[in-house]
Amino acid sequence: MAYYDKKYCIVTYGCQMNIHESEKLGGILAEMGFTAVNDVKLADIVVFNTCCIRENAEKRAEGNIGALKKLKHAKSDMIIAVGGCMTQQKGYAEKLTDKFPFVDIVFGTHNLEDFKDFIVRRLEDKKHVISVSDGDNRIKEGTPKLRSSFPNGWVNVNYGCNNFCSYCIVPYVRGREKSRDMGAILSECQELVDAGYKEITLLGQNVNSYGKDLGNADFADLIEKVSAIEGDFRLRFMTNHPKDLSEKLIAAVAKSDKTCKSIHLPVQAGSNRILKLMNRHYTREDYLKEVELLRKYMPDIAISTDIMVGFPTETESDFEDTLDLVRQVKFAGAFTFVYSPRKGTPAATMDGQIPSEISKRRIIRLIDMQNAENRRQSKAYLNRTIEILCEGFDSRKGKYLGRDTYGRMAYFDGKTNLIGKFVKVKITKTGGISLMGEVADIGE
Ligand code: 5AD
Ligand code: SF4
């Protein structure tokens, strides 16, 4: 049975976890003989790998699914599949098929590994496939991957989340925390290094709680083991929960030459009252102590964060606490969000929802403050020569780009293909968060 003449296009929304899962969907389709294309109009199979963390992520995906109606009408044998976090929400699959009856396959976050069967069923039985399961405790190994982020390779370490922050939909759509077997993680890392990958990013909703369900290892042990793999590569990990950041892990990161000196540590808010309502299990004082400890071990570590404004009942004074924390920590970067009510989460039904005009005003003040810090930190790079791992080519800017150990992005010209090389770049111009420079030396 050959479907070799078919082309597929995967449209991905959301976080790194989804980007990596799209690499698995691509791996499954490539193994079946399909070819990837970048344009949905050229595709016989379009897969939407969706996100539901905020309402706008859902709106965008629904808008793009809806936009395919005409194309599907003109090309009836086209297959449209929708999966990911959005479809895993309770009752959503029915809602989706009511709204977009032309969608052929609906699958969830727990059965992506069965995607080949869904495609075969759709092609052979010509029936719609709706399969969203609740998942179990097992991790399915061995799914093929068509990696798309060379020289960076994503490696899952744990799945799911047990934290139930009161605003967050993730625990409902990703299930409970499950750690992957350490041996499987290490052999995947070794394979990546053998294949010439220069950066490994360990992935999980909460990587620093890795191993809690295994009982014989923790994330610090894993960092140590991955760092012991021989080869010229960098190690990163994301994302972390402040309540699970141990001194042992900080020490392991500090000791490891391979691990980048940067950490993403979402704080969410600077007000203790709001942190409590968010069910975050730490105070601003706890967070500031962690920052201090991180800097004690690694004085130059870059700490980045996620911050939310407009959580229910947030007052001007709560928000000032957030600004004050941002002022104190001097983050190397911050992803900022307006709180978005998610159906089924405790926060969605709390009294005191904040009007969007107020949240918008707050987020602008927060972004302005962080932008000023970004500019200040970027300026300190001027005339310095830094080591960058070249990650890609930005065709719009006509320049290569890559990051230093602190995660700071730099753009530069190159006469030869520099992707996957460590290059020394002299910084000649700084703007907002990113840097412009000239190549001073090309490594091997
Ligand atoms: N509204 C806005 N932002 C949210 N996040 C998670 N849930 C919500 C929500 N309901 C943010 C958090 C998290 C990041 C990945 O997304 O800041 O760290
Ligand atoms: Fe969501 Fe909190 Fe889990 Fe992060 S730790 S995925 S914010 S519930």
Side-chain angles (χ1 to χ4, degrees):
M1 174 178 34
Y3 306 118
Y4 302 114
D5 53 339
K6 293 206 186 286
K7 298 184 181 68
Y8 73 88
C9 178
I10 304 178
V11 186
T12 310
Y13 303 87
C15 63
Q16 277 74 15
M17 192 67 95
N18 267 19
I19 294 174
H20 184 44
E21 283 177 355
S22 287
E23 294 185 334
K24 295 185 189 173
L25 290 165
I28 293 170
L29 289 165
E31 212 176 68
M32 292 174 80
F34 299 106
T35 331
V37 289
N38 281 329
D39 185 350
V40 289
K41 289 195 221 67
L42 304 177
D44 304 295
I45 300 176
V46 179
V47 189
F48 290 95
N49 189 8
T50 62
C51 168
C52 62
I53 194 114
R54 282 169 290 276
E55 195 188 356
N56 55 11
E58 286 195 332
K59 285 257 161 70
R60 224 171 329 127
E62 286 186 349
N64 290 341
I65 297 167
L68 284 194
K69 188 176 170 181
K70 256 201 196 145
L71 198 61
K72 171 84 182 184
H73 196 68
K75 215 167 125 181
S76 63
D77 58 349
M78 179 181 184
I79 295 180
I80 300 176
V82 185
C85 291
M86 191 166 94
T87 51
Q88 189 68 43
Q89 294 173 95
K90 221 179 176 152
Y92 188 84
E94 295 75 26
K95 197 175 130 194
L96 184 83
T97 43
D98 279 355
K99 204 163 170 185
F100 307 112
F102 55 88
V103 168
D104 300 275
I105 299 173
V106 184
F107 62 105
T109 57
H110 297 295
N111 58 0
L112 161 159
E113 292 81 1
D114 303 327
F115 194 62
K116 178 180 174 177
D117 292 345
F118 305 151
I119 294 282
V120 171
R121 265 158 63 192
R122 179 65 186 116
L123 285 170
E124 293 189 346
D125 306 344
K126 313 258 180 266
K127 284 200 189 104
H128 286 236
V129 179
I130 299 180
S131 180
V132 180
S133 72
D134 283 340
D136 52 33
N137 274 330
R138 276 170 305 174
I139 293 177
K140 292 174 201 140
E141 291 290 348
T143 308
K145 297 172 192 91
L146 191 67
R147 295 192 182 268
S148 57
S149 312
F150 180 86
N152 178 51
W154 309 105
V155 176
N156 290 121
V157 303
N158 53 1
Y159 302 86
C161 180
N162 290 351
N163 293 323
F164 288 95
C165 299
S166 61
Y167 50 80
C168 188
I169 194 81
V170 168
Y172 305 90
V173 294
R174 290 279 174 178
R176 298 294 65 73
E177 273 176 24
K178 286 184 287 225
S179 296
R180 204 176 157 198
D181 172 64
M182 196 185 273
I185 298 172
L186 292 174
S187 34
E188 188 174 342
C189 292
Q190 181 72 60
E191 275 167 29
L192 286 170
V193 174
D194 292 346
Y197 281 76
K198 298 290 181 220
E199 188 172 271
I200 290 173
T201 305
L202 304 177
L203 267 188
Q205 255 83 35
N206 185 10
V207 285
N208 50 3
S209 70
Y210 173 80
K212 276 189 182 163
D213 52 330
L214 299 175
N216 55 0
D218 62 16
F219 192 58
D221 300 327
L222 184 61
I223 290 278
E224 203 179 307
K225 290 260 169 56
V226 179
S227 305
I229 295 175
E230 273 183 41
D232 194 16
F233 69 96
R234 281 177 177 175
L235 181 59
R236 297 187 187 275
F237 53 95
M238 67 187 317
T239 179
N240 300 278
H241 194 303
K243 82 173 167 50
D244 296 313
L245 184 70
S246 65
E247 184 161 0
K248 182 181 170 197
L249 174 58
I250 297 175
V253 172
K255 206 175 127 205
S256 157
D257 293 340
K258 298 227 171 66
T259 307
C260 290
K261 299 304 175 249
S262 67
I263 187 164
H264 190 67
L265 196 62
V267 66
Q268 312 299 357
S271 146
N272 283 337
R273 193 182 68 81
I274 295 294
L275 285 170
K276 190 145 201 230
L277 284 175
M278 286 178 165
N279 196 30
R280 291 290 288 176
H281 297 282
Y282 56 85
T283 62
R284 69 180 275 134
E285 291 77 19
D286 296 331
Y287 188 89
L288 290 169
K289 262 197 213 125
E290 281 178 5
V291 168
E292 208 176 284
L293 198 61
L294 280 161
R295 288 182 173 152
K296 189 177 128 199
Y297 277 84
M298 295 162 278
D300 57 349
I301 190 168
I303 303 171
S304 57
T305 200
D306 294 344
I307 306 174
M308 207 184 301
V309 303
F311 186 83
T313 78
E314 184 186 69
T315 62
E316 208 46 38
S317 138
D318 292 318
F319 175 62
E320 287 291 343
D321 285 348
T322 297
L323 290 182
D324 185 62
L325 183 130
V326 170
R327 215 176 280 124
Q328 277 190 55
V329 176
K330 299 189 172 33
F331 288 110
F335 295 105
T336 53
F337 308 104
V338 167
Y339 163 73
S340 166
R342 303 285 64 209
K343 204 166 165 238
T345 63
T349 49
M350 281 180 188
D351 289 337
Q353 301 285 324
I354 304 295
S356 69
E357 311 82 71
I358 295 185
S359 298
K360 277 186 197 143
R361 274 204 299 270
R362 287 183 186 158
I363 202 166
I364 289 168
R365 285 172 66 195
L366 177 63
I367 291 171
D368 281 350
M369 180 182 274
Q370 184 56 39
N371 280 349
E373 181 58 27
N374 291 343
R375 279 194 297 273
R376 192 190 67 80
Q377 292 189 22
S378 286
K379 247 193 193 146
Y381 274 90
L382 202 58
N383 296 322
R384 280 180 47 211
T385 299
I386 54 175
E387 189 182 66
I388 297 282
L389 171 60
C390 181
E391 291 171 20
F393 185 76
D394 183 326
S395 43
R396 223 167 20 96
K397 284 194 167 74
K399 288 190 185 295
Y400 283 98
L401 60 98
R403 284 173 301 156
D404 71 355
T405 181
Y406 309 109
R408 183 80 43 167
M409 187 76 85
Y411 292 87
F412 43 94
D413 291 317
K415 293 191 186 70
T416 53
N417 182 2
L418 297 175
I419 298 170
K421 289 199 159 48
F422 287 102
V423 286
K424 296 271 189 304
V425 174
K426 183 172 179 203
I427 301 306
T428 51
K429 205 173 143 200
T430 69
I433 200 157
S434 51
L435 313 166
M436 291 287 185
E438 285 162 9
V439 174
D441 189 20
I442 304 170
E444 279 315 296

